[in-house]
Amino acid sequence: MVNPLTNPLRERPLPLGSLLNAAGQRLSAELDEAVAEAGFADVRAAHAPVFMAIDPDGTRVTDLAQRAAVSKQAMGELIRHLAAHGYLTVETDPVDRRAKRVRLTERGWAVVEVGEHVIASFDAWLADGIGAAAVGELRASLHRIIAAPPRVGRSAGDHAVRSLRA
């Protein structure tokens, strides 16, 4: 049992997941600020998956959801918001009349341009801070983490959590 007057987790380094999340939040905050300053106050970093996944000639909603690794319903919400604010058009797909094709408007392309600038600036700032080689290693490591198969079985930590609940 853990002594209620001490927390052993306070002495440990911050969990990697927390650090990765904090870094992502920092970039998201910078993106939100820059996009708002550019006159697009109704777009947030949360909308980025749509802008990152869409093809120049438009993309079907199901493909956008798959590329962004979100449900069709979640993608639909993002698309409805962006279309209502003039960033996207939604049309019937000419190849499959049952599907919808999403395209960027001129306003949508303008947001993409701002986003590209913010991301390039952030990457350059990071390279200046920790070095281009370290950024390359970090990018490669993150790609490996994302591509790794899910953990199989239970670890000792999982067993410890189960015994605490018992």
Side-chain angles (χ1 to χ4, degrees), residues 24-42:
Q25 287 176 343
R26 180 166 185 172
L27 176 57
S28 292
E30 289 188 24
L31 186 59
D32 285 347
E33 183 179 335
V35 168
E37 285 177 5
F40 305 108
D42 43 9

Side-chain angles (χ1 to χ4, degrees), residues 2-121:
V2 174
N3 180 342
L5 300 177
T6 62
N7 182 346
L9 296 178
R10 289 187 64 209
E11 303 303 320
R12 294 182 54 117
L14 284 173
L16 288 174
S18 297
L19 291 170
L20 291 168
N21 189 44
Q25 287 176 343
R26 180 166 185 172
L27 176 57
S28 292
E30 289 188 24
L31 186 59
D32 285 347
E33 183 179 335
V35 168
E37 285 177 5
F40 305 108
D42 43 9
V43 174
R44 298 279 179 268
H47 299 113
V50 177
F51 294 107
M52 292 173 60
I54 199 164
D55 294 320
D57 61 342
T59 308
R60 290 174 35 167
V61 174
T62 53
D63 294 333
L64 286 173
Q66 183 180 23
R67 291 175 188 174
V70 299
S71 69
K72 286 188 279 186
Q73 293 79 6
M75 182 56 68
E77 286 295 318
L78 295 173
I79 290 169
R80 278 188 287 284
H81 173 85
L82 294 170
H85 290 89
Y87 299 98
L88 304 173
T89 60
V90 181
E91 309 157 351
T92 300
D93 188 310
V95 175
D96 180 353
R97 311 268 321 144
R98 298 168 297 167
K100 298 292 182 191
R101 180 167 290 275
V102 179
R103 297 181 197 277
L104 290 170
T105 63
E106 187 174 318
R107 185 169 170 82
W109 283 111
V111 170
V112 168
E113 188 175 320
V114 171
E116 285 179 328
H117 175 74
V118 171
I119 291 166
S121 175

